[in-house]
Amino acid sequence: MEPALGYEGDRYMIYPARDPRVLETVRKIARGLSHHHKLIAPVKDEQVFADIKRWNLPEELAEAFEYRHAERDILQYDFTAFEADVDLHSVWFLRFFERTTFVVIIFTSVESLQRVVETTPPA
């Protein structure tokens, strides 16, 4: 939590993507869901990327995702898995409490994620 600028009184903003504990929990949930849906298991934490959803998925790609939920008001999620021989295994959108959405990418291996990180220019 950080003080919210521009507001009177003691108001705070929460930035879940800046908290490594939150991202670790989100990665763990996606790993568990991957196992639950019998996609890939075990998945090492080091082969999973997680962040707040910062962009919208193009409509034509959204059709490939399956929608599921644990409890509609607690966790809703969309996912798709790739069968081709590529570095990506699956992509997940996890929505918590109908408001905060995370994107999670599970790579086929730790090395696949490392290659992407090494070749991605800094923001």
Side-chain angles (χ1 to χ4, degrees):
M1 290 185 10
E2 297 179 17
L5 302 175
Y7 294 97
E8 292 182 29
D10 293 333
R11 297 190 73 174
Y12 295 90
M13 298 288 291
I14 297 173
Y15 298 95
R18 294 182 189 172
D19 188 336
R21 298 169 300 175
V22 171
L23 295 178
E24 178 182 17
T25 302
V26 169
R27 290 191 306 268
K28 187 177 282 193
I29 290 168
R31 292 167 48 210
L33 288 170
S34 177
H35 176 75
H36 172 74
H37 288 287
K38 297 176 178 36
L39 297 177
I40 183 176
V43 176
K44 296 179 182 177
D45 190 55
E46 296 81 16
Q47 70 190 81
V48 182
F49 168 83
D51 196 5
I52 286 288
K53 182 180 172 196
R54 300 177 190 270
W55 39 268
N56 289 324
L57 192 63
E59 189 75 29
E60 56 274 6
L61 293 178
E63 295 172 1
F65 282 74
E66 290 185 44
Y67 170 80
R68 302 287 175 90
H69 63 86
E71 290 289 333
R72 288 192 197 279
D73 58 339
I74 297 173
L75 173 63
Q76 301 170 2
Y77 60 97
D78 301 278
F79 71 95
T80 190
F82 302 98
E83 294 181 19
D85 188 26
V86 295
D87 288 339
L88 297 179
H89 177 270
S90 55
V91 177
W92 302 77
F93 291 99
L94 309 177
R95 271 179 307 288
F96 294 93
F97 305 105
E98 299 179 329
R99 62 182 301 171
T100 304
T101 303
F102 290 85
V103 61
V104 180
I105 303 170
I106 297 178
F107 288 82
T108 54
S109 67
V110 174
E111 295 77 24
S112 297
L113 175 54
Q114 289 173 346
R115 274 195 300 276
V116 170
V117 170
E118 290 170 0
T119 60
T120 302

